[in-house]
Amino acid sequence: TMPGSSAWTLGVVLVIAVALIWSASTVLVQAIFSTLEFERPVFLTYVANSCFVILLPIKALRSAVYDPPATGLLDQTAALTPAEELDEATGPTERGAAERASRRSARLAAVRGALALCPVWFAANVTYNVSLAHTTVTTSTVLASSSAA
């Protein structure tokens, strides 16, 4: 864990980074709308949000490398305590199956939550991009910041 002051400093740096990225992306979107005369906020939102799909294979690869499923009896019993080794009611095979079922259940819950949030997220982004097409960056930023409070 991090000491209090370094965690606070990291938090401040991350907040500043988010603010800079938010401002840069807002300026970029407005430049696309005005300079390139490409006023298609729904299309732009669709393309930008579709880029999140790139993260799925990265997550799957990371899970495969850092959290591989146990393949044999030795892999499953390596971390058992002596008391767990003696417990015949829940052997290593049942524990492994229960753990896999628990992970699958957690993934399904995450997918359901994402599917429920997806339309709201898309609508919010479309609304913000439409506002960028009709106002200045400053106005959109102030409105978005004050409406979240």
Side-chain angles (χ1 to χ4, degrees):
T1 62
M2 300 173 102
S5 63
S6 60
W8 183 85
T9 304
L10 177 63
V12 169
V13 168
L14 291 175
V15 166
I16 291 170
V18 167
L20 290 174
I21 291 168
W22 175 272
S23 298
S25 67
T26 301
V27 169
L28 178 63
V29 168
Q30 193 164 50
I32 289 170
F33 288 156
S34 62
T35 307
L36 300 176
E37 296 179 7
F38 184 80
E39 290 195 26
R40 307 269 191 275
V42 175
F43 177 76
L44 190 62
T45 304
Y46 176 77
V47 170
N49 285 309
S50 295
C51 289
F52 288 134
V53 173
I54 295 169
L55 298 175
L56 293 176
I58 294 170
K59 170 66 174 147
L61 181 64
R62 182 177 177 270
S63 293
V65 170
Y66 292 110
D67 193 19
T71 56
L73 187 60
L74 292 176
D75 292 337
Q76 294 173 346
T77 59
L80 295 179
T81 65
E84 289 173 328
E85 289 175 0
L86 295 175
D87 185 9
E88 294 179 17
T90 58
T93 305
E94 287 116 10
R95 267 195 299 280
E99 187 175 313
R100 283 190 299 276
S102 174
R103 286 184 187 168
R104 184 165 189 244
S105 175
R107 276 192 223 113
L108 283 174
V111 168
R112 283 188 193 114
L115 288 174
L117 183 65
C118 201
V120 176
W121 177 269
F122 189 80
N125 279 284
V126 166
T127 305
Y128 186 74
N129 283 341
V130 167
S131 77
L132 286 175
H134 299 291
T135 62
T136 65
V137 173
T138 306
T139 304
S140 292
T141 303
V142 167
L143 290 173
S145 298
S146 63
S147 66

